[in-house]
Amino acid sequence: VLQMKGPWTAANLPRLTAALRTHAARGNALTIDCSQATYADSSVAGALSQLYAYRTRTGLPLVCRAPVFLPARGMLAGNVPMD
């Protein structure tokens, strides 16, 4: 489980992308827990969208838990299982 807390913007995107790269190719189910995220800008939504595309292409499961920020929620809600 990767847990996102507080606001996420381009300023802390390198931290997020490093974590996503570390976990993206692992064969187990990957859960992104956004329940404590207070904001995410479009750069973060883009990173999560790229993760979704990669996991979909490779047949690896991805779950987004309690998305509370609108950009990613709107983009992911139709495609990613939600807890």
Side-chain angles (χ1 to χ4, degrees):
V1 175
L2 293 177
Q3 193 168 47
M4 298 174 63
K5 296 180 182 180
W8 288 86
T9 65
N12 54 10
L13 185 63
R15 190 171 132 215
L16 177 63
T17 55
L20 295 180
R21 284 187 185 129
T22 298
H23 296 284
R26 292 186 179 168
N28 55 335
L30 176 58
T31 299
I32 307 292
D33 184 351
C34 304
S35 62
Q36 295 181 37
T38 56
Y39 175 79
D41 70 10
S42 60
S43 66
V44 173
L48 293 175
S49 183
Q50 288 177 350
L51 173 66
Y52 168 75
Y54 173 78
R55 299 282 292 191
T56 299
R57 273 195 319 274
T58 57
L60 297 170
L62 175 65
V63 173
C64 186
R65 181 176 294 152
V68 295
F69 45 86
L70 295 178
R73 183 177 189 174
M75 205 163 39
L76 296 174
N79 300 313
V80 178
M82 302 289 177
D83 274 1

